[in-house]
Amino acid sequence: MDEIAAAAGVAVGTLYRHFPTKTDLVAAVIAEYTTHVAEAAEAARERHASGSRAVDEISDFLARVTEATATNHAVKAAARALGADPVDRDAEACAGPALAALIQAGQADGDIQQDVTVDDIYLLFSTAPTDQPPAARARWLALVLTGLTTHTRTGDTGSAS
């Protein structure tokens, strides 16, 4: 906590007033991360409403969140070790409807498999190889998109079409 306070340019007492325990601090970092994920889901839904393809937005969302999760992998591991819940239920509740709208639109367009659900997207995130190098994450995404979409895979670039 001393190092974190120094890096933040605040006194240790100030840090402890805002975050009484390490678990509280890690939980706040996780909450900020999941809020960004929810905002990304809503932004994807808005881009789709403005004319982009739902399948492209889902593909981009999966790629962005997987990379962000890889970057924040240590924080999530710390959250688990300290007993902090690595899932922000409020942010998840905001992301869910946006993802559901994208999935339904992609299914209506014939681009997303009819049995894909929001829970499937969350399951995919929970199994993403975030501790692997970028090439492995790109390969994972290409394989995942093959299962989610109705398109035939044309390469390992992560493209859905």
Side-chain angles (χ1 to χ4, degrees):
M1 294 294 272
D2 291 336
E3 290 177 35
I4 293 169
V10 299
V12 174
T14 301
L15 182 64
Y16 276 108
R17 270 192 301 283
H18 292 283
F19 309 104
T21 68
K22 291 177 188 176
T23 302
D24 293 331
L25 177 61
V26 171
V29 171
I30 294 294
E32 181 179 342
Y33 165 76
T34 55
T35 297
H36 288 300
V37 170
E39 290 169 352
E42 183 58 30
R45 189 201 59 75
E46 289 173 5
R47 284 190 300 274
H48 172 260
S50 295
S52 66
R53 293 178 57 215
V55 69
D56 293 338
E57 292 302 333
I58 291 170
S59 175
D60 289 347
F61 177 77
L62 284 169
R64 286 183 192 153
V65 172
T66 300
E67 288 308 305
T69 302
T71 302
N72 290 301
H73 186 71
V75 173
K76 286 193 166 194
R80 282 189 210 83
L82 292 170
D85 186 359
V87 177
D88 181 331
R89 305 292 176 213
D90 292 336
E92 191 175 88
C94 292
L99 290 173
L102 286 172
I103 291 167
Q104 290 169 354
Q107 289 167 333
D109 292 342
D111 294 328
I112 302 291
Q113 299 288 345
Q114 290 298 312
D115 61 345
V116 172
T117 67
V118 171
D119 286 341
D120 294 333
I121 302 298
Y122 293 146
L123 175 63
L124 291 172
F125 287 139
S126 73
T127 62
T130 56
D131 57 342
Q132 297 293 313
R137 293 191 303 270
R139 177 69 177 146
W140 173 85
L141 183 59
L143 294 169
V144 162
L145 290 173
T146 299
L148 291 177
T149 66
T150 59
H151 302 277
T152 302
R153 185 165 30 121
T154 57
D156 293 337
T157 63
S159 175
S161 46

